[in-house]
Structures are given as C-alpha cells and as structure tokens.
Amino acid sequence: HLIFLDPPYAFKNKEDLFAKITSGNLLEKGGIICFEMAQKETLLPQEGYALLDERTYGITKILFFQKQ
C-alpha cells in the first residue's frame, strides 16, 4: 500500500527509477508512492498515477503519488 523512495539527492536517474517502480504491479489502486528528493528538483507523475500532495521541509521535498 506504500512505497517510500529516498535515493541520494545527487542520483541523476530519478525519472527512470520512478518509471521502473510504476511499471510493475507493486501497488493496488489507491496505493501511495512517497518520493523524497531535493527541494529544487521536479518529478512528473507516471501514467496511471496522480500527484496527491507535495511537502517541502528545508532543502527536502516529498512528493506523494497515488495509483489511479
């Protein structure tokens, strides 16, 4: 029901990592992916996922994506 991703902030392939996680059938409908990253970075939802919430804490940003 919940996947938490916290790659190193210097990790360059966040989009690829997100795509690999969402391409599998790891979550049921309504499941949440929490993706932690540097505040200045962006990450778009993958197909079948919607951005549910975004929180910023200093230099950290946490994005919450929900499987549709």
Side-chain angles (χ1 to χ4, degrees), residues 2 5-6 27 34 43 47 50 54 61 65:
L2 177 68
L5 298 171
D6 184 16
L27 287 175
C34 301
L43 185 66
E47 183 176 337
E54 180 178 319
K61 176 168 45 177
F65 297 96

Side-chain angles (χ1 to χ4, degrees), residues 2-65:
L2 177 68
I3 296 174
F4 186 80
L5 298 171
D6 184 16
Y9 286 2
F11 186 73
K12 299 293 182 200
N13 296 319
K14 289 179 175 67
E15 293 84 7
D16 292 340
L17 175 61
F18 191 35
K20 286 179 184 177
I21 293 295
T22 58
S23 67
N25 201 10
L26 299 174
L27 287 175
E28 295 179 1
K29 184 178 178 181
I32 304 288
I33 295 177
C34 301
F35 205 118
E36 184 177 335
M37 63 180 60
Q39 183 270 336
K40 62 184 178 183
E41 295 180 302
T42 60
L43 185 66
L44 297 174
Q46 294 291 313
E47 183 176 337
Y49 286 79
L51 181 62
L52 187 62
D53 196 4
E54 180 178 319
R55 304 285 175 108
T56 302
Y57 303 97
I59 65 167
T60 301
K61 176 168 45 177
I62 302 175
L63 302 173
F64 298 86
F65 297 96

